[in-house]
Amino acid sequence: QYLSNTRRFDEDSIQNIMNNTVILCGAPENQQEIFAALGLTNVSLSSTSNICINGNVLSNGKCTVSGINSNINGKHTEDQNYKFSDFYEDLFEDFSSNNDFIEYDNDYNECNVNIVINNEMFVDGAMSLDGNININSDCISINDICFSGRVENSGSIILCSRSGNINIDSTNVNLNGLIYAPYGNVNITSSENVSINGVVIANEINIQAQCININYNDSVFSTVKSYLNFLNGKKEIAVSGDLCSNN
């Protein structure tokens, strides 16, 4: 019942997405099997000030980084052929084992000055929040997730769109955890700062902000590693090469 609105993809479409995957890895250089991953066809990080990425970058396509100061700590490789499988089914199985989650059969929309999410949520449709948003629990939506306003969370969460996009338009974005949109895009626009501590996996990533800071998070990676099943059977990745940066 939780997959009733899931978008269906034929084998060629899924293979095309997987073949164009980009993985942004954040890890200590001596622990390259540990990473924070961005699965993408295209990556665009655009800042009017500073961009800081603490970790290694693996890319099956191109990663465009533009800003006054770009600081990328780690090794970077583009035009690779790394593949991974969609782990939504396993993720949802663990999520649904918690009987305390709240289920919405249709779209969920809320507009308020302050919005606090303290209970895990499953939305069998699209999810839209507008206000000062504080997310303290996992949220899974079958279709698009749209946040407007200030977005932050204090702990580590899972923010997942099964078949749609994750769109965040905010003054400030501060997220810790897994952001997962395997068949959609993660689009984040901020007039000030974007800070992500964890893992982002999506078909395409577009981030625009005054300052962008993306950091590897060990506890989030441990969760991802338990799900991630590379199609080539490899979970350890060696990285080398350079990332092209346009300043």
Side-chain angles (χ1 to χ4, degrees), residues 35-101:
F35 57 89
L38 282 151
L40 317 163
T41 55
N42 293 293
V43 184
S44 176
L45 306 177
S46 178
S47 167
T48 58
S49 183
N50 302 319
I51 295 178
C52 181
I53 301 174
N54 293 308
N56 301 318
V57 177
L58 300 180
S59 170
N60 285 353
K62 300 298 180 182
C63 180
T64 303
V65 179
S66 61
I68 296 175
N69 296 303
S70 297
N71 182 18
I72 303 175
N73 302 307
K75 297 181 179 180
H76 315 97
T77 303
E78 293 185 326
D79 300 320
Q80 298 301 296
N81 191 32
Y82 295 107
K83 303 174 183 178
F84 62 87
S85 62
D86 175 14
F87 53 83
Y88 172 82
E89 299 294 343
D90 293 333
L91 182 152
F92 184 79
E93 183 178 353
D94 286 347
F95 171 87
S96 60
S97 65
N98 180 5
N99 294 325
D100 293 333
F101 78 93

Side-chain angles (χ1 to χ4, degrees), residues 78-203:
E78 293 185 326
D79 300 320
Q80 298 301 296
N81 191 32
Y82 295 107
K83 303 174 183 178
F84 62 87
S85 62
D86 175 14
F87 53 83
Y88 172 82
E89 299 294 343
D90 293 333
L91 182 152
F92 184 79
E93 183 178 353
D94 286 347
F95 171 87
S96 60
S97 65
N98 180 5
N99 294 325
D100 293 333
F101 78 93
I102 301 173
E103 178 186 354
Y104 295 91
D105 293 332
N106 298 297
D107 295 347
Y108 178 81
N109 302 293
E110 183 175 355
C111 179
N112 213 328
V113 174
N114 296 307
I115 300 172
V116 180
I117 306 297
N118 287 324
N119 297 100
E120 294 184 346
M121 295 176 59
F122 174 83
V123 180
D124 196 3
M127 180 179 186
S128 177
L129 303 179
D130 186 353
N132 295 317
I133 305 166
N134 194 328
I135 307 172
N136 300 314
S137 295
D138 300 341
C139 295
I140 295 178
S141 178
I142 291 298
N143 297 321
D144 290 350
I145 294 175
C146 297
F147 292 162
S148 298
R150 190 180 184 92
V151 180
E152 62 181 16
N153 69 300
S154 55
S156 182
I157 64 162
I158 294 172
L159 184 63
C160 171
S161 172
R162 176 65 182 108
S163 60
N165 301 322
I166 296 177
N167 301 311
I168 299 176
D169 188 353
S170 172
T171 53
N172 271 297
V173 178
N174 187 355
L175 287 174
N176 302 287
L178 171 62
I179 303 174
Y180 189 46
Y183 301 114
N185 301 336
V186 169
N187 303 307
I188 301 177
T189 302
S190 171
S191 60
E192 296 182 14
N193 305 315
V194 171
S195 179
I196 298 173
N197 295 292
V199 178
V200 182
I201 299 176
N203 180 44

